[in-house]
Amino acid sequence: MNAAAVLPAPVPRRAGAPAAPGRALAAWHALERGIDRWTGPALNPLHHLGSMAFLCFWTLAASGIYLYAVIDTSAAGAHASIERLAAWPWFYGGWLRSVHRYAADAFVLLMGLHALREWLHGRFRAHHRFSWLTGVPLIVFAFVCGIGGFWLNWDELGQYSALATAEWLDALPGLTTPLARNFLSLDTVGDRLFSLFVFVHLGVALLMTFGLWFHIQRLPRARVVPPQPLALGLLAMFVGLATVTPVVSGPAADMTRVPAALRLDWLLLFVHPMADALSGGLAWVVLGGALAGLLWLPFMPHRREDAPAARVDPDYCSGCRRCVDDCPYAAIGMVAHPSGKPGHELAVVDAERCARCGICAGACPSATPFRSVADLQSGIDMPQLPVNTLREQLRQRLQAAPAARSIVAFRCAHVPPPACLLAPDVVAIELLCVGQLPPAFVEYALRDGAAGVLVQACAPGHCAFRDGATLLHERLHGVREPRLRPTVPRERWAMVWSGARDADAIAPILDRWRGPQSARERTPSALELST
Amino acid sequence: MNASTVDPSRHRVSVGAWLGQALLYVLFAVFIGVFSHWPVYHPLPPGDALIKISFTHTGKPVGDCRPLTEEEKAKLPPQMRPKQICPRERSPVSIEVDINGRRVLQETAEPSGLKRDGASAVYRRVQVPAGEQKIAVRMKDDARAPGFTAQLEDTVTLKPNQVLVIDYNAEKGGITF
């Protein structure tokens, strides 16, 4: 048997799906795999950077609301009130303030790592463009809000930061009176100016709340809280940090002196030394250029992929909305069905938002292969790999398979196949995403003579389309429509969340279906040995 | 059965995974704990002081006021005829600062506003070694007048990290330290 007979036709990819990894992406994947070994892929923090940043934001909001209620936000009283706070019982005094600060530090770090990961995976164009473009302003908001928080303390660090910010803003053209003149003496820092500080810190935080909501608008199942173990770990980390190195105020602001030595929070305030070192104007050019670059990324010219978007067939769309519910990118909406039948709706696909993952096709109830029609049409389908082709491919390859009882493996095109799936008795069928698989195909394959059906999905957190593996998992386990019928023998199908390196987990499952005799008799093919 | 019970991201938390988490959080906490306080930053080099030269001051009009000509009066209704008209544009404000005989600042601030009728503003920082400094400041705010219109010379002793502000306040007699 030659390789062409074993390997399915390659699935066309499109922009936004992981491209051939560059060195940086390969290094990132190596880091993720390394951490996977410690934590397991499901709890690898690198797979939950966005939701962990969200948890930091919730922590900031909760601690910030409390702090705002108890501290004095006047120029004359702010420093003294925060000093008093530190003397209160630890659990609602300085400790809470420390948690607030460290949550801000963690937020910007996680936000940076999240942006880096998305960039490395090319998730800034096509259906990712909206989330990317709405994410870039959040970087600005985070730093403006974070830096403004230091001013409210009005110690020498707050004084330095406020003055350095004013001097940096003065480097911009168009200001009639230098803002830094507001900090020539303590007399010029009045309650009105302090109200502006409060507005910067709280107002921008409110803007961030809106911005975060906007950021996830096209991700219907966006996770705004990480899995419980990660959430507990992150909160415990804040508590630990606040206990081991509590944040303390410096001496009260004194405009007649430049602070001699500052224990600077480099994660939030790095821009001040940067402006000191480069000059304010050059710092604007560097940071403004970096932001402009981030905003330009989605519009960067690139080779366009020709993979078509999901296609709706009005004759078969029942308006059930399952595809709308399952689409991870909110690319499907409903309109009145052209039939004019009252209440009858039709799915419509926004091609710009469509990720070409096929998860909608897997959700369509009309995509069952048991329908006795020669040309299987479904309500919503992927033109590059329609369910009819999938059914034909399965039938023909099961018939052509050399083994008496072959094993069918439906696998994600984004995961390289482990060697054991290249065995001659395995009919491996590559999908755009495992979420594309209508669950009835499992039963269909078994009825067509397969010894067992394996679904190889990406490892948790690695899904190229966010939720494909999770959705199929739920469908196969009968908790999401369309469901795999419970009468299908549970021991004859398996879903494995794995990568190419997890052949050890897959091979025993295949051997179980082969039976002891078959497993002994099976000899590896030349292709297997060379893989 | 609900969705969470079959989502592998919601279970299978082994002891190793917890330990792995703990180790990662310790590393993350160390990173945050260190770089939220260290390295210590010195906004000024040790032993230096800072002189801020800053003012916002509206210069004198660039020209003299003059009575309206008969032709100009004729264009205005009788109740709106002023006795004289003055140019809106203000003189730029020039400043020179010498410290210990060395020129550290020589700048002319243009008046703000589209009609150039607003205040001129300057904000500059000059780092000097702490100790005794002989400072001479000269300012000119009238384009029609020859030479400087205000000046002040004084010797001050600055401590390390001290900030000295050189400002202009007409109510306090002009240039102030």
Side-chain angles (χ1 to χ4, degrees), chain A residues 35 38-39 42-43 45 52 101-102 105-106 109-110 160 163 167 176-178 180-181 183-184 227 229-230 233-234 237 241 245 255-267 273 276 470 473-474 477 479 497, chain B residues 1-3 6-9 11-13 16-18 20-21 23-25 27-33 35-44 50 52 54-56 112 119 121-123 125 160-163 165 167:
Chain A
I35 295 178
W38 289 358
T39 63
L43 293 180
M52 289 172 71
R101 162 84 86 83
Y102 290 129
D105 287 326
L109 271 177
L110 290 166
Y160 165 75
L163 179 56
E167 289 174 347
T176 307
T177 304
R181 277 188 58 79
F183 303 98
L184 289 180
L230 283 174
L234 195 60
M237 186 193 81
L241 266 172
T245 54
M255 291 303 176
T256 65
R257 284 180 52 77
V258 178
L262 290 170
R263 285 159 60 86
L264 203 69
D265 187 330
W266 291 84
L267 303 171
D276 286 349
T470 305
H473 198 261
E474 292 176 7
H477 284 81
V479 293
W497 302 61
Chain B
M1 180 186 247
N2 58 39
V6 297
D7 183 347
S9 66
H11 62 158
R12 293 183 191 169
V13 185
W18 279 106
Q21 292 290 325
L23 184 58
L24 280 175
Y25 280 118
L27 291 175
F28 195 41
V30 167
F31 186 87
I32 290 176
F35 290 107
S36 64
H37 295 96
W38 180 88
V40 170
Y41 182 64
H42 302 276
L44 274 185
L50 185 66
K52 292 183 181 178
S54 176
F55 64 82
T56 175
S112 59
V122 162
Y123 178 87
R125 294 159 51 107
N161 294 94
Q162 184 180 342
V163 176
V165 177
D167 203 344

Side-chain angles (χ1 to χ4, degrees), chain A residues 322-337:
Chain A
R322 286 180 193 167
C323 53
V324 179
D325 292 342
D326 284 5
C327 177
Y329 299 102
I332 306 173
M334 301 300 292
V335 295
H337 198 281

Side-chain angles (χ1 to χ4, degrees), chain A residues 459-478:
Chain A
H462 289 271
C463 181
F465 302 107
R466 296 185 62 83
D467 300 317
T470 305
L471 293 170
L472 178 65
H473 198 261
E474 292 176 7
R475 291 171 191 156
L476 291 175
H477 284 81

Side-chain angles (χ1 to χ4, degrees), chain A residues 124 128-137 215 294-296 298-299:
Chain A
F124 47 80
H128 297 291
R129 180 184 292 180
F130 178 86
S131 298
W132 181 267
L133 290 177
T134 53
V136 174
H215 183 55
L294 291 176
L295 289 170
W296 179 68
F299 306 101

